[in-house]
Amino acid sequence: MKSEYSQLKEYMDQSKKTVAVTGAGISYLYGMRRLKQSVGMMNARRVFSASYVRKNPEKFYEIMKDAFLDATFVKGPSAVHKQLAELERQGKLYGIVTQNMDCLHTVAGSKNVVEFQGSFADNTCITCGSRFFDYHVWNQGHMPCCEKCGGPLMPTSFCSESRVNNSASQESMQKAINMIADADLVIVIGTTGFRSEEYLSRMKTGTKLVQINLSETQFNRIADLNIRADAAEALDAVLE
């Protein structure tokens, strides 16, 4: 294992632009509940709709609190989130592409983060359509409301009825694609590759791919280096 950590460190030392790709694995391991546990038998598509939020704003907030917000604002970022932020601070990591919308990378201190599935930092009022870019609105102990009209807010990525949702989704994925296309080292951590075909296909020739995952994923076949270990341990070795 030490030789794998040394190889990862060598790759990072040689890289001019390293990008980390993270998934739900780094959040579930540190307290994030799976959404199905919070929604229960309810249909997630029905819950994530403006019509449901209009009728049940506080219930929607409780579901979000149970599934996401307690992990973000009570338990806080994991060691992995903090290590990635430190690597960015040291200039060893250019940015992060994540399928997570929990804002834990930002809370940990990372600056260059693309959340291609949406984020609690991008919210839309379902009454007047105003958008608010601040995850702190979800840390007030109640359903956040629009400053302009008082209507309930919900993450823009959940507004399935809104054209803004499609536009925001396309914009976020394009940012992810651009970041991956510029990288010469991509480190995949805690994800099986949700929607990876949309961004990994844009990797330039010669870009190295490293996977840090405890279980096998689709990346095992294509990675230049597979590290089957706890990500916190692997990143700690790099930081040392």
Side-chain angles (χ1 to χ4, degrees):
M1 193 62 71
K2 287 184 178 179
S3 62
E4 293 177 348
Y5 295 165
S6 296
Q7 184 66 73
L8 173 59
K9 188 175 188 305
E10 182 179 327
Y11 281 165
M12 294 191 74
D13 288 343
Q14 295 172 348
S15 171
K16 294 180 179 178
K17 187 168 285 189
T18 299
V19 173
V21 176
T22 68
I26 70 169
S27 294
Y28 291 151
L29 290 175
Y30 297 99
M32 189 75 70
R33 284 167 58 82
R34 293 182 185 276
L35 190 57
K36 289 181 180 178
Q37 291 176 283
S38 300
V39 176
M41 298 302 292
M42 285 191 268
N43 185 296
R45 184 172 296 180
R46 180 170 68 88
V47 171
F48 298 148
S49 68
S51 58
Y52 180 87
V53 175
R54 285 190 189 96
K55 296 177 182 177
N56 310 279
E58 290 305 323
K59 178 61 178 176
F60 179 80
Y61 172 76
E62 288 302 320
I63 292 172
M64 294 301 98
K65 183 176 184 295
D66 187 57
F68 300 102
L69 304 178
D70 280 349
T72 299
F73 298 115
V74 179
K75 295 176 181 177
S78 70
V80 176
H81 294 102
K82 294 174 183 176
Q83 288 165 323
L84 291 173
E86 177 60 19
L87 286 168
E88 183 187 41
R89 190 190 69 78
Q90 293 182 12
K92 297 177 180 178
L93 184 69
Y94 173 71
I96 297 169
V97 168
T98 184
Q99 70 187 61
N100 303 335
M101 60 180 295
D102 50 37
C103 297
L104 280 167
H105 285 299
T106 301
V107 174
S110 293
K111 305 299 183 185
N112 194 14
V113 182
V114 176
E115 297 161 306
F116 65 80
Q117 279 213 105
S119 170
F120 280 96
D122 179 359
N123 302 285
T124 295
C125 172
I126 62 173
T127 301
C128 71
S130 297
R131 286 176 76 183
F132 299 88
F133 297 91
D134 183 3
Y135 66 88
H136 290 291
V137 298
W138 293 96
N139 191 25
Q140 304 175 76
H142 57 78
M143 184 70 180
C145 297
C146 176
E147 295 176 357
K148 297 180 180 179
C149 74
L153 303 182
M154 63 187 298
T156 300
S157 57
F158 290 173
C159 296
S160 56
E161 299 96 331
S162 171
R163 293 181 182 178
V164 176
N165 173 29
N166 294 330
S167 157
S169 176
Q170 292 171 4
E171 181 181 334
S172 295
M173 180 53 76
Q174 190 57 54
K175 287 181 180 178
I177 289 171
N178 292 343
M179 192 181 289
I180 294 294
D182 285 342
D184 50 27
L185 173 62
V186 176
I187 305 175
V188 175
I189 307 172
T191 178
T192 57
F194 179 73
R195 294 182 70 182
S196 61
E197 69 282 354
E198 295 181 57
Y199 55 83
L200 288 187
S201 61
R202 308 301 180 91
M203 284 172 55
K204 61 189 177 187
T205 303
T207 297
K208 294 190 180 301
L209 178 66
V210 175
Q211 174 183 219
I212 307 174
N213 269 322
L214 286 169
S215 58
E216 289 192 9
T217 72
Q218 63 173 334
F219 297 114
N220 283 72
R221 297 177 291 104
I222 60 174
D224 295 278
L225 176 64
N226 282 295
I227 300 178
R228 296 283 290 276
D230 180 85
E233 179 182 314
L235 294 179
D236 192 47
V238 171
L239 283 166
E240 287 181 351

